[in-house]
Amino acid sequence: MSRRAVVRGGLATAGLLGALAVAHTLRRIGARVRWPAERDEYRDENFALIDSDEPGSVLADDGVSLATRTYGDDSAAVTLVFAHGFCNSMESFHFQRRDLARQWGTRVRMVFFDLRGHGRSGTPATDSCTVEQLGRDLAAVVRECAPSGPVVLIGHSLGGMSVLAAAAQFPELFATRVVGVGLWCTAAAEVTATGIPQLLRHPAVGGFRMAVRTAPALVQVSRTASKQLITPILHVSSFHGPVSPTLSRFTTMMIDRTPVSTIEKFLKAIELHDESAALPVLAGKPVLVLGGAHDLVIPFRNSRVLAAAIADSELVRVRAAAHMPHLQFPEVTLDALDRLLTAAGVTGGHEEAVGG
C-alpha cells in the first residue's frame, strides 16, 4: 500500500472519528428528549400503508428514476403531491396519507415520491444533488402523475426547499395549476445560519465528507459507525418530549436506510441553497407555513421569516413539536391541511373514506 493511500485512509478515519465526537455532543443535547414514552399508542399502527397504493416511477430530466405511490384516481377534486425531508422517505407522510383518506375520501388524490438518492429512488450523480434539481424532479412528478387539474404541493424540510425551487423555475406551473402550498419546517435561504445545520461547517463534519469521498468502503461497511453520527442528530431533531417507541423506531429506520453517499452529496446543497426568488410566485395563493417550536434543525424563527415574506400565508407554530410535527402531532397538521384545502377551494371534507 502506498504512503499516500495510508495517509488518505488515516485522514478519513480521523475525520469520521471527529464527526463521531460531534455526535457525542449531540447525544447530550438529545438527552432532553424524554424517551421511552409511558405508552405506545402506535404499537399496532400499519406504517406500511403507503405500500398498498399504486406504485410507479418517473424519470427525471437526467434519467434518475423517482419512485412514486398514488392514492385515488382522476375523479378527485384536487391532487396533493408530497415531497419529504432529508434522510426521510415518502413513508414519513404516513399519517397524512391515512387521515386525509379518512376525512376527504374520494375528493382528494395523493401522490408521494422519494427524493433522488432516498428510499426506492435511483442513485444520482454528485453534481445533480442540488435543491434546483429537486425542484425539477418535483415538476416532473407533477407532469407525469398529475397532468391535469388543480394541485396542492406539500414539502417538509428539504422537500419544502424543492417546492420553492420548483416555484422559482416553473412560475407558469404555479400560475395555472398549483392552488395551494404547504411549507413545513423549511426555509427559503440561509438554512445554516442557525440550529443544528451549523454543524455542516464544523471541521469534524468536513472530515466526515472527506471520509466518504476518500474511503467510501470504510464508511459504508461500518454502518454502526455512521449510525452513531446520524442517530443522535435524529434524536435531537425529530421529536420533543414523550414519543411512541414504535414511532421512534419507524423514523430511525428511515434514517438508517438512507445511503451514506446520499447524505454526503446533499450536505453542500443544503448549505448553499437560496430559493428567495420563489417567494413572489407564491403571492396571492393559499400557503401554509408550519414549524415546530422546538425544532433545532430549522428553528421556528425561520418559519416566521418565511411566512412574513409570503403575503396572507397562514403560520402555524406547533408548540410541543421539533422537526417532525407531521409524525408526532398528525392531528395538528390535519387541521392545518383542512384549512389549506378549504382556502384552495376544495370542498367536501369529512367524507367517509373509500379504501382508506
Side-chain angles (χ1 to χ4, degrees), residues 47-48 50-52 55-57 64-69 84 88-91 113-123 257 259:
F47 281 107
I50 285 177
D51 288 345
S52 66
S57 64
V64 173
S65 178
L66 306 172
T68 67
R69 291 288 187 278
H84 66 77
N88 289 177
S89 64
M90 68 176 84
E91 286 84 1
F113 75 102
D114 287 329
L115 301 184
R116 57 179 50 221
H118 293 74
R120 300 178 182 89
S121 288
T123 302
R257 287 197 301 263

Side-chain angles (χ1 to χ4, degrees), residues 33-42 235 238-249 251 327-328:
V33 178
R34 291 175 290 155
W35 191 95
E38 295 178 0
R39 60 192 178 90
D40 189 355
E41 65 270 38
Y42 296 124
H235 287 169
S238 295
F239 304 118
H240 175 77
V243 62
S244 153
T246 298
L247 180 60
S248 179
R249 285 192 296 270
T251 307
L327 277 172
Q328 191 173 8

Side-chain angles (χ1 to χ4, degrees), residues 41-266:
E41 65 270 38
Y42 296 124
R43 182 176 310 220
D44 299 319
E45 184 73 21
N46 174 23
F47 281 107
L49 178 62
I50 285 177
D51 288 345
S52 66
D53 294 335
E54 180 182 355
S57 64
V58 171
L59 278 183
D61 57 11
D62 63 349
V64 173
S65 178
L66 306 172
T68 67
R69 291 288 187 278
T70 301
Y71 165 86
D73 57 38
D74 294 340
S75 66
V78 66
T79 299
L80 290 84
V81 180
F82 293 83
H84 66 77
F86 182 48
C87 291
N88 289 177
S89 64
M90 68 176 84
E91 286 84 1
S92 64
F93 292 113
H94 165 78
F95 292 114
Q96 289 66 55
R97 158 62 179 87
R98 183 196 71 179
D99 295 343
L100 285 168
R102 290 175 178 173
Q103 189 141 310
W104 287 83
T106 58
R107 298 291 296 164
V108 299
R109 186 167 177 264
M110 290 179 273
V111 175
F112 307 89
F113 75 102
D114 287 329
L115 301 184
R116 57 179 50 221
H118 293 74
R120 300 178 182 89
S121 288
T123 302
T126 298
D127 60 3
S128 77
C129 292
T130 66
V131 174
E132 290 78 10
Q133 180 62 57
L134 293 180
R136 293 192 288 274
D137 291 352
L138 175 59
V141 170
V142 172
R143 285 194 300 269
E144 293 294 322
C145 299
S148 62
V151 174
V152 171
L153 302 178
I154 308 294
H156 168 250
S157 191
L158 183 58
M161 298 174 197
S162 75
V163 172
L164 292 170
Q169 296 173 85
F170 305 99
E172 70 284 355
L173 173 65
F174 282 70
T176 60
R177 300 281 315 284
V178 177
V179 297
V181 172
L183 300 169
W184 299 353
C185 302
T186 195
E190 306 225 351
V191 71
T192 56
T194 55
I196 284 179
Q198 288 178 307
L199 287 173
L200 296 176
R201 299 178 181 178
H202 193 287
V205 175
F208 172 66
R209 291 172 176 165
M210 183 180 65
V212 174
R213 288 194 298 269
T214 61
L218 167 69
V219 181
Q220 191 66 43
V221 170
S222 183
R223 296 301 296 171
T224 300
S226 61
K227 282 170 63 178
Q228 287 174 3
L229 172 65
I230 298 165
T231 303
I233 297 176
L234 166 68
H235 287 169
V236 170
S237 64
S238 295
F239 304 118
H240 175 77
V243 62
S244 153
T246 298
L247 180 60
S248 179
R249 285 192 296 270
F250 166 73
T251 307
T252 300
M253 285 175 62
M254 284 193 295
I255 294 284
D256 289 346
R257 287 197 301 263
T258 306
V260 174
S261 59
T262 292
I263 297 168
E264 194 275 337
K265 288 174 183 178
F266 273 105

Side-chain angles (χ1 to χ4, degrees), residues 257-345:
R257 287 197 301 263
T258 306
V260 174
S261 59
T262 292
I263 297 168
E264 194 275 337
K265 288 174 183 178
F266 273 105
L267 286 179
K268 181 60 71 175
I270 296 171
E271 194 172 354
L272 296 177
H273 101 102
D274 185 343
E275 312 309 321
S276 301
L279 300 179
V281 178
L282 302 182
K285 291 188 179 298
V287 176
L288 164 67
V289 179
L290 182 146
H294 299 276
D295 192 345
L296 299 177
V297 175
I298 302 181
F300 183 75
R301 58 181 167 274
N302 294 73
S303 296
R304 187 179 290 114
V305 169
L306 183 59
I310 305 172
D312 301 321
S313 60
E314 179 186 2
L315 177 62
V316 176
R317 178 177 181 266
V318 187
R319 284 189 307 110
H323 193 57
M324 303 288 276
H326 55 304
L327 277 172
Q328 191 173 8
F329 299 100
E331 68 285 353
V332 176
T333 55
L334 177 62
D335 289 345
L337 280 173
D338 279 347
R339 294 192 299 273
L340 178 63
L341 289 173
T342 300

